[in-house]
Structures are given as structure tokens and as C-alpha cells.
Amino acid sequence: MPEPSEAQLRHTLPEGKKWYDPGAVDLVNPGVLEEFRANGGEVGGRYAGMPLLVLRSVGAKSGEPRTNPLYRLDVDGRWFLVGSYGGSPTAPAWVHNLRANPKARVEVPAGGAVAEFEVTAQELAGAEREEIWAALVERSPGFAEYQKNTSRLIPVIELVRG
């Protein structure tokens, strides 16, 4: 078995850690951000080939800037984020931040570079959420497993450009 690359090591949590463990994302996010920005939105390791974006939001409690690399799902030209947090009992902090401050900025790959856009976050509900959730789960079946592991309804957030 080949040795893991540096990129793969930077994108891997230590054995036994879950994404929602305190400090877990802080171990991985800096390397992902650095690689994303240095390579025009391309990232290797566990994220190779995945459509990522960098969300720049405002902390709900602190009012401080927050930066998160996130998996982006595109459906009919619309951008969606899923607040699964690995099926944890609580939503990730970035969901709380967007609920409190829906105006944000994103960085997305754009032809070998990274482009920035202003967005407004809108949490989906009801039939619209269920329709988009089905499309998202079809593309990324792991989200269905995360939903099975938690009693909360995993939020689906649309990022509306402009």
C-alpha cells in the first residue's frame, strides 16, 4: 500500500476523531484553504475532484470573520451546502453563522483561478428542501447516512449569488 501524500495527511483526521469533535476542523481546514487558494480551487487528498468553495461569513456570537472550506453541491446552476457535520447532534457553526448573518462571500474555482462572489444564504424548508435533498443524496449518498445518525433535520442552505 503506498504511503499517503502530504495533501492526504493534511486532509485526514487523527484516528478515532469525528468531524464534530472539538478542534477537529481546525486540524484540517488550514491546509485545505492553503491548497485551494494556491491551486485555483483544486485540492488533493480526500477532497480530490470534489466541488469545494470557501465560505467567508460572520460569526453569529463574535461578529468576527469566519472562513470554512465546504463541499458545494450544484443543482441546475444553484449552489447548495449541507449542514451535516458528519451526522452530529448539532449543526456546524457555519450554519448558525449564516442563520444569524445570511450575507456572506464565497471563493469558487474559476478556470484555474479563484473567483469571489457575494451571496445570501437561504435555508430551505418543506417541499423545496425535500426535492433538493433527494437530488443531493443521489449525488452524495453519504448524506443519507448522516441523516440516519442524527435526530435533527440536516439543514440545506442555498447560496444565492448577488
Side-chain angles (χ1 to χ4, degrees):
M1 184 167 194
E3 289 293 315
S5 70
E6 180 182 337
Q8 289 168 327
L9 290 173
R10 290 191 331 199
H11 304 156
T12 304
L13 287 174
E15 180 114 10
K17 276 223 175 256
K18 302 224 184 287
W19 285 105
Y20 50 85
D21 288 341
V25 294
D26 295 333
L27 295 173
V28 176
N29 282 358
V32 175
L33 287 167
E34 177 186 334
E35 192 172 358
F36 182 94
R37 289 173 173 156
N39 298 315
E42 296 294 320
V43 179
R46 68 176 281 134
Y47 299 113
M50 294 175 80
L52 299 180
L53 62 73
V54 173
L55 175 68
R56 294 182 6 221
S57 60
V58 175
K61 293 179 186 174
S62 69
E64 295 294 320
R66 299 290 181 234
T67 304
N68 301 92
L70 299 171
Y71 180 50
R72 177 191 86 231
L73 293 125
D74 299 351
V75 177
D76 298 327
R78 297 163 67 192
W79 294 342
F80 297 94
L81 305 175
V82 178
S84 63
Y85 213 12
S88 79
T90 59
W94 62 262
V95 170
H96 299 292
N97 295 342
L98 290 176
R99 285 173 175 158
N101 303 297
K103 297 284 186 195
R105 294 189 66 78
V106 294
E107 300 171 35
V108 296
V114 174
E116 287 189 38
F117 294 93
E118 289 187 11
V119 295
T120 302
Q122 297 177 348
E123 189 167 352
L124 303 186
E128 182 180 30
R129 184 209 176 272
E130 294 308 311
E131 178 183 331
I132 296 299
W133 177 258
L136 300 178
V137 166
E138 185 176 312
R139 292 174 189 191
S140 297
F143 288 125
E145 286 301 311
Y146 293 151
Q147 185 61 74
K148 287 179 189 175
N149 292 334
T150 185
S151 60
R152 70 181 170 89
L153 184 64
I154 291 177
V156 176
I157 310 286
E158 180 174 6
L159 300 177
V160 180
R161 290 168 260 192

